[in-house]
Structures are given as C-alpha cells and as structure tokens.
Amino acid sequence: MGSDTKDSSALLPSSKRRNVLMAGAALAGASALGFPTFVFGQVDKIKIGHLTPLTGFLGALGEYAVMGIRMAAEEINAAGGVMGRQLDVMSEDSVNPQVASSKAQRMIERDNVVLLMGEINSASALTISQVAARNKKLFLSIGARSDALRGKDCNRYTFHVDIPVTVMVNAVGQALVRDNMVKDKKIYSLTADYLFGHDLSRQAKKFFAANGGNQIGDELVATDVTDFSPYLLKIRQAKPDLVATNLAGNQVTNFVKQYAEFGLPYPVVGFNLNTADAWAAGEGNLGGIWPTVWHHDLQTPGSKAFVAAFTKKYNKVPENHAWIEYVSLKILAQAMNATKSTDTEKLIAYFESEAQFDILKARKAYFRSWDHQLMQEAFPFTVKPKGQAKGKYDFLKFGEAVPAANQPLELLAPTKAESLCKM
Amino acid sequence: MEFVFLLEQVVNGLVLGGYYLLLALGLSLIFSFGGIVNLAHGAFYALGAYVSLEVMKHVGFGPSIFITPLLVGLLGILFERYLLRRFYTADPILSLLVTFALAMVAEQFIRMVWGAAPLASNMPEVFKGRTMLGEFMFSKYRLFILGVVTIVMVGIWLLLHKTAFGRVVRAGAQRPDMVAALGIRLQPYMTAVVVLGVATAALGGVMFGPIAVVHPAMGTEIMTVAFVVVVIGGLGSFWGVVLAALLVGVVRGITIHFQPAAGEASMYVLMFLVLIFRPRGLLGERIERFE
C-alpha cells in the first residue's frame, strides 16, 4: 500500500494538485451562487428577481424551474426582448423561508428588481409574498400550491400560477369516487409536516368526509425523513382500505419506493406528486392515482414544440416545474408588452382584467380577479401496465384534462364563498 | 397485539440501526485514530450510491456491493494522503473546515456530473416484498442489509481485536507517541483506517440507494444521524458505536409508534440526555490527548 501512495503522489505534483483544488472550489462557489447573472449590465435591462429552492427536499424540482425560466428568457431576448429591453432574470437558491425573505428584500433594495417571481416551497412563498406586499412590488408565485397563500394570506401584490391544493384534491378525489374507493372505506394518511402538507391534509379530510370516507389515521412526517419503515409498520397495523398521502418532494419518492419494498397490499394514492419525483421512484414501484398541473405527454402543438425545444437544449424531458416557469415568464412578458410598462400597478390591473394567456394547454388561462389564482386545466395520472413503458420517462399514464372541455374552468377551484381571501 | 406491534418496531429499529452503524463506525474510527472530525464522511456515502449506479449498469447489483466500496476506498487513499495527513497535528478547526469544504465540493461535483434531479436505483426483484416470521413483518431487502452489516461488523471487530494491525491501531488511538517510540510508523495505518471508514460509508450508500432516493444532498442528510450516533456511543469504543446505532434506531421506531410527529426529534432528545448524564458517551473511553 505504501508504494501505491507514492505512485499517486508522483502522478500529481503538488502545484497541479493545488490548481485542481482551486478550480474545484471556484466551480463549487460559482454553482452555489446560482447561474451567472449580469448584474453589471446596461441600465435598460428589465431585472427580475427569481427565487426557487435549489437544495433540500425540493432542490431537484428547483433545478427544472431554473432551466424552464432560463429557456423562456433566452427565447424572449432572442426575439428582441420586451419593449426592446432585454430581460435579466437573477436566479438564486431560496434555501428556506427565512433566507427567502431576506434575499427577496435584498433583491428589491440592492439589485433593484422590478418584480419577484418563482418559488416551490409554500412556506417560502408566504414570506416572499409578505416582503413583496410591504415593498409594493409584484410577486408571481409560480410553483407553490398551499391554499392559504391564495386564501387567508392573499394580498393584492401576489399572483399564483400553479394549481392550489383544493384543485389537486378534487382532481384525484373525483377519480377515487368514480372507482368506489372512498365511500365507507377506511383511509389512512401521511402528511408532510409543513404549511403545504397541513393544507393538503385539511382539504383531503374535508373531501373524504363529504364523500362518506372514514379517516382512521393521519400522521405528520418531518420533511427530512428518508426512512419510512416505522410508518409502514403502523399502516400495516391499521389495515386501511386506502393509503392517501399528503407528502411532498423527495418524501413521496422515498415513501413509494419503500412501500413497494415492503409490498403492502393496500392501494396507495396521493394528492401531490411531481413528475420528477415519480420518475425517481422508478417503474414497478409506483401505482395509484395522482394529480399534476402539466405533463410532457400533452398533445397540444404548443406543448409538443416546448418539449422538443427543451429536450434538445437540456437533453432531458421537461418536468412540470420547467413548464410552469417557462409559461410564467411568457405570461409576464405578455403583460409588460400589453401595458407597455413594468409598473406594478399597471401589471396588477392587467392581470385583474382576467386577460387570457396561452399556457400551451388546450384551453387558455386567466387570473381570477378576486384571489389572483390562475384558472387552468389539471390532469390526473396513473401508471402504465408493466412492460408498456418505452424508456424510463415513459411509465406514467396521463388522463384527460379536468375540468372537461365542456365544464367551466373554475369547477374544481375553491369558490368565493369558501375562500378566506380578502384583499 | 399492541405489544407485538411495539416489538415489531423494536426489531425494525435494530435493522435500521445496523445501517446507521455503517456510517458511524468509520466516522468514529477516523476520529479516534487521527483526531479528525471528518465532515466529508457523508460525501463518500453519496459517492458510493452514485458510483454503484454506474457500476450496476455494467455488472449488476451483486458485484457492485464489492466493487463500489473498493473504488471509493481508492479515493479514500488520495483523501488521506493529500488532505487529511496535513492536519493530524494541526488545530482541529482546520481539519473541520477542510472536510466541511470537501463535503460541499463533493456535493456540487455530484450535481455537475449526475444532475440535481434524484435518480432511480432499483433493487433486484428477488429482494422485493416482505417475509413473515410469525407475527413479524420484514422487508426481505432489509434483512439482506442486516446480513451484510453483520458480516462487515464481525470482520472489522476481528481486524481490530485479533490482528497485529488492530493492536497497532488501538494502541495508536490511545498513545501515538508511545507507538512511534516503538519504531512503528503510524501513517500507513492511518491510510488503512481512512480507507476502511470511507469504504464502509460507500457500502452504506450502495445498500441504501435502492430504498431511498439517490440525490446530491443525501450525504449531508445522513451525516447528522451518524454524528448523533458517534456522540451517544462515545469515542474509541467499537461496542459503544454499535450500541448507540441500534439504540437510535429503536428509540426512533418506538417514538413513531406512539407519537409519529416526534420521530425525528427522538434521537436528539436521546443525545441530549446522554450528554447530560454521561458526557463521555455510553461506552466512551477516556482518550488522554482529547482531554
């Protein structure tokens, strides 16, 4: 062994070693700061502050988010920008609600961004939305789904792009009721222990109660749990008819994999699963019904073109967070072009006019004026029978859009009477 | 019946504790022998998971259990030879900073090579599903993990207690100056200890990949638990770490049985209690140079 180490020292003289180390450190530093931004750029650029988790249990989704918004910014800038000005999107890791809040404040005060956008974590979206309201700046909350954000915590400076928890519960719930899996059934739930999970759990319980389901258990699970085996033993003890999960991010993947590992017989469904997390679970581990806001299999001309361009650019299939960030920047560009302004009040007025946006789905979307929620189609998905998948991104089977083409878009969303939102 | 359920959690906790042990033992060995708190230990665990994904593509799951720890162990030689070796006699804060930095570099390296999105790692079909022993339910795969951990632990114990190599390592941990005075150069032993520690961490990554998600931050996640185990077990004691790892697994299981939301907090409460009533750890030896 002694001679081995001598050999490797001869291969790596000390000066070179230092260079390698320094290069490594510089690379790590650069990527920790997020993608390069051009803060020294000309004054006429439109600066946009973009925060999203790039580390932690939602980090993988955040990476897709950055890829999506970057692609939109490049397309818009290549086509001449907005009102002849280039868009300059500063993407940073929002880390946690506290850091997200201080970064948002810094972006407004020091970097002079005209508005904020992004986020996936509902708790971070809440703190950013408070900063935005205090500073009277627009915040386009893109990937956060908690009902509270557009309910009791709503404010007139924040607009919400992703589908809210109520829509996710209703989209899957309808399918469950149709398959006779709710009425008089024993339902056991696991819930992510933070704002979003609690919201999801509340809506799910409401839905089950309204449809005759019998909730026999609902346990909170910390967001950093990777081993679910003790929870699986509890599920086995409870002998439910249905396991309904309110988990988030990596949690869902870990749970699904370990559920398959233990091979429990009870059907599993869930009210939240992003396609990236589903892919990570792998074929053969996932089953049940889940909701999504968009999927790469959607056969509209816009979606097909987006998937092709994204796959060409990044050499991977876009996930729903890549799509939503992409269309969000396009929505914003449309609003700026239409109002010929980056002024907060004018943009709010434009969004509140319920203007229509092409979001690459069959039906156009619009923001509801009273709670600032984007109204759009959602999709339930299941898993293809074994052996039908063509490749590791292909084992999910996407259902028809809900609400159906002949139903109003607001059908699954919370009604004004239910909502606690007062602007 | 209630008692059976509780017992089931205890047994399951023991299995989980065995897996914590793979990480904690290396951490404890490197600290006891070299006086270095290796914050980069989790990085080798993550590398183990990622490297095994590549190895599995070519030779399948079985051989990757052997090949991956070997490959990562080779990295351990470089790690010891070019980084750690400079800090054995230096201010401990320096090695802390260096290994902390290395952990971050490694995480970003993984992000650059394999991407931030979690990767799927599947276990062989034979291990899927459960097996029943009377009233108890076990995951077949976890029983397999338990078997591997037991073999590795017996191997390490024999190595440390029944060989000349082990005698030097144990003596070196207590009185390095005395060992040096006997004309034994400790450096090659240190290399071996680091390789052993790093390879067992990598084995942990190989084994846990198919159960959990393989993602860049997995090393950071596991480090907290590994540290808690080392602190509870006490330094320099093989059995201390074993006992602590099993205890942490069992306490977590029992807590989740009664109060699921408190599951993750339970091990910190346990550490807190141990630190108050037995600051040296459960079976910690008194090591002069650290006091």
Side-chain angles (χ1 to χ4, degrees):
Chain A
M1 189 169 285
S3 67
D4 280 0
T5 49
K6 269 199 193 102
D7 285 351
S8 40
S9 96
L11 286 172
L12 284 174
S14 107
S15 64
K16 256 191 193 159
R17 223 161 58 219
R18 283 219 171 115
N19 289 343
V20 170
L21 261 184
M22 268 162 22
L27 284 170
S31 40
L33 290 172
F35 291 92
T37 50
F38 303 96
V39 275
F40 50 83
Q42 306 93 318
V43 278
D44 62 349
K45 280 189 172 172
I46 300 174
K47 280 171 124 178
I48 294 170
H50 178 238
L51 289 163
T52 200
L54 292 170
T55 49
F57 75 114
L58 299 168
L61 305 176
E63 193 189 50
Y64 278 103
V66 172
M67 288 191 279
I69 202 165
R70 249 203 324 180
M71 186 168 132
E74 282 168 17
E75 281 182 15
I76 293 167
N77 287 339
V82 173
M83 302 176 290
R85 295 164 69 185
Q86 297 279 295
L87 294 184
D88 176 5
V89 180
M90 304 176 56
S91 290
E92 286 193 27
D93 184 0
S94 55
V95 187
N96 61 41
Q98 292 74 32
V99 175
S101 158
S102 60
K103 282 195 173 180
Q105 188 69 38
R106 192 209 67 213
M107 283 176 157
I108 292 172
E109 281 175 0
R110 220 179 60 199
D111 303 322
N112 290 316
V113 299
V114 298
L115 57 91
L116 297 164
M117 61 194 295
E119 205 44 69
I120 296 170
N121 184 317
S122 292
S124 300
L126 177 60
T127 61
I128 297 173
S129 119
Q130 288 160 346
V131 170
R134 247 193 337 262
N135 291 280
K136 298 193 168 27
K137 292 276 185 198
L138 194 67
F139 171 43
L140 204 53
S141 170
I142 302 179
R145 297 169 182 162
S146 159
D147 271 343
L149 288 170
R150 47 278 268 179
K152 76 176 171 56
D153 295 318
C154 75
N155 66 55
R156 70 180 293 266
Y157 294 94
T158 305
F159 288 80
H160 310 273
V161 184
D162 213 333
I163 47 175
V165 157
T166 306
V167 171
M168 298 161 75
V169 169
N170 287 338
V172 168
Q174 285 189 340
L176 292 177
V177 169
R178 181 197 64 208
D179 296 346
N180 198 20
M181 287 166 81
V182 179
K183 196 166 165 48
D184 299 326
K185 302 289 186 201
K186 289 184 290 181
I187 298 161
Y188 193 98
S189 297
L190 291 179
T191 295
D193 196 1
Y194 79 114
L195 179 66
F196 168 74
H198 292 202
D199 244 27
L200 205 50
S201 161
R202 196 176 313 120
Q203 281 308 322
K205 277 185 185 149
K206 216 166 96 183
F207 182 89
F208 289 139
N211 289 281
N214 174 18
Q215 184 96 43
I216 57 167
D218 181 15
E219 303 299 355
L220 293 174
V221 181
T223 53
D224 56 352
V225 166
T226 47
D227 169 61
F228 280 84
S229 58
Y231 298 96
L232 295 173
L233 296 179
K234 280 189 79 74
I235 290 174
R236 175 179 166 247
Q237 291 157 17
K239 295 195 173 47
D241 298 310
L242 179 72
V243 180
T245 65
N246 306 310
L247 301 171
N250 278 348
Q251 281 185 324
V252 195
T253 320
N254 280 326
F255 173 78
V256 161
K257 283 183 84 167
Q258 290 167 33
Y259 196 86
E261 180 203 340
F262 278 81
L264 291 176
Y266 322 110
V268 175
V269 298
F271 297 112
N272 176 50
L273 178 61
N274 292 290
T275 37
D277 297 320
W279 290 329
E283 198 193 357
N285 291 328
L286 191 70
I289 305 172
W290 308 79
T292 186
V293 62
W294 176 86
H295 59 81
H296 61 281
D297 221 12
L298 193 58
Q299 295 299 315
T300 62
S303 267
K304 276 156 69 175
F306 166 71
V307 173
F310 188 96
T311 313
K312 183 160 172 256
K313 181 172 168 60
Y314 296 112
N315 202 19
K316 56 172 107 182
V317 179
E319 199 265 352
N320 48 286
H321 284 283
W323 162 82
I324 202 163
E325 297 270 341
Y326 176 87
V327 295
S328 293
L329 196 66
K330 294 284 175 98
I331 286 173
L332 190 68
Q334 178 184 331
M336 286 177 173
N337 276 324
T339 56
K340 298 199 168 38
S341 169
T342 58
D343 180 64
T344 306
E345 291 302 323
K346 285 186 179 153
L347 292 174
I348 291 177
Y350 181 75
F351 287 140
E352 285 187 344
S353 73
E354 306 206 336
Q356 303 263 326
F357 300 98
D358 178 9
I359 56 167
L360 318 180
K361 293 182 181 180
R363 292 166 81 175
K364 289 196 168 181
Y366 61 91
F367 286 104
R368 277 204 299 212
S369 60
W370 58 269
D371 70 348
H372 291 181
Q373 171 63 51
L374 191 75
M375 286 297 125
Q376 58 175 316
E377 296 164 309
F379 307 85
F381 69 90
T382 52
V383 177
K384 288 180 180 170
K386 213 171 162 59
Q388 279 190 15
K390 303 184 286 278
K392 61 177 176 174
Y393 294 124
D394 191 51
F395 63 90
L396 305 178
K397 183 169 167 241
F398 297 97
E400 291 297 313
V402 287
N406 56 0
Q407 293 173 320
L409 266 185
E410 303 196 15
L411 188 70
L412 302 177
T415 61
K416 196 166 185 175
E418 282 170 1
S419 174
L420 298 172
C421 175
K422 285 183 189 63
M423 300 251 174
Chain B
M1 204 57 192
E2 178 65 23
F3 179 70
V4 173
F5 290 151
L6 190 59
L7 207 57
E8 193 172 49
Q9 290 285 9
V10 170
V11 176
N12 184 63
L14 289 175
V15 179
L16 187 67
Y19 150 74
Y20 291 151
L21 190 52
L22 280 180
L23 272 115
L25 194 66
L27 199 61
S28 171
L29 272 178
I30 294 173
F31 186 84
S32 306
F33 193 58
I36 284 182
V37 177
N38 180 20
L39 289 174
H41 208 63
F44 291 101
Y45 161 80
L47 273 176
Y50 276 96
V51 170
S52 78
L53 282 181
E54 300 298 329
V55 174
M56 267 191 250
K57 279 184 199 159
H58 302 287
V59 295
F61 181 79
S64 87
I65 296 177
F66 300 97
I67 297 175
T68 307
L70 274 180
L71 290 177
V72 178
L74 290 179
L75 268 182
I77 296 182
L78 298 179
F79 170 57
E80 196 278 335
R81 180 76 178 73
Y82 295 109
L83 273 180
L84 286 192
R85 190 165 285 187
R86 291 155 191 258
F87 298 100
Y88 294 144
T89 49
D91 186 346
I93 197 80
L94 288 178
S95 60
L96 210 62
L97 282 173
V98 165
T99 53
F100 182 62
L102 187 70
M104 289 199 289
V105 171
E107 190 177 323
Q108 292 302 329
F109 170 79
I110 289 174
R111 243 177 255 275
M112 284 159 63
V113 175
W114 285 285
L119 298 180
S121 160
N122 274 329
M123 63 187 72
E125 286 295 324
V126 287
F127 289 125
K128 270 199 184 156
R130 63 182 189 278
T131 176
M132 303 294 295
L133 292 176
E135 280 295 321
F136 295 116
M137 175 179 75
F138 292 98
S139 134
K140 284 187 205 162
Y141 185 72
R142 282 178 206 233
L143 283 184
F144 170 66
I145 292 186
L146 189 63
V148 172
V149 171
T150 311
I151 293 170
V152 170
M153 288 307 135
V154 170
I156 291 179
W157 187 84
L158 289 175
L159 186 67
L160 287 179
H161 292 266
K162 299 289 170 198
T163 64
F165 170 84
R167 273 196 291 282
V168 175
V169 169
R170 282 183 299 134
Q174 282 291 351
R175 300 296 297 266
D177 43 352
M178 195 62 89
V179 177
L182 289 172
I184 298 172
R185 217 164 64 92
L186 279 174
Q187 278 184 350
Y189 289 91
M190 191 57 212
T191 311
V193 165
V194 171
V195 168
L196 192 65
V198 161
T200 44
L203 181 64
V206 181
M207 302 305 289
F208 213 55
I211 292 183
V213 177
V214 177
H215 65 113
M218 63 190 291
T220 325
E221 272 177 16
I222 199 70
M223 273 307 274
T224 327
V225 187
F227 263 113
V228 169
V229 168
V230 172
V231 171
I232 292 176
L235 288 166
S237 163
F238 179 87
W239 292 112
V241 179
V242 174
L243 187 65
L246 301 181
L247 201 60
V248 166
V250 170
V251 167
R252 180 170 177 268
I254 293 177
T255 312
I256 289 177
H257 181 77
F258 291 110
Q259 198 51 258
E264 300 316 292
S266 64
M267 61 180 142
Y268 303 108
V269 175
L270 185 66
M271 179 171 82
F272 181 69
L273 291 175
V274 168
L275 284 178
I276 286 180
F277 295 108
R278 202 176 154 78
R280 201 190 286 168
L282 291 177
L283 301 176
E285 286 173 21
R286 192 162 161 269
I287 297 179
E288 263 171 45
R289 65 198 162 107
F290 297 145
E291 296 192 0

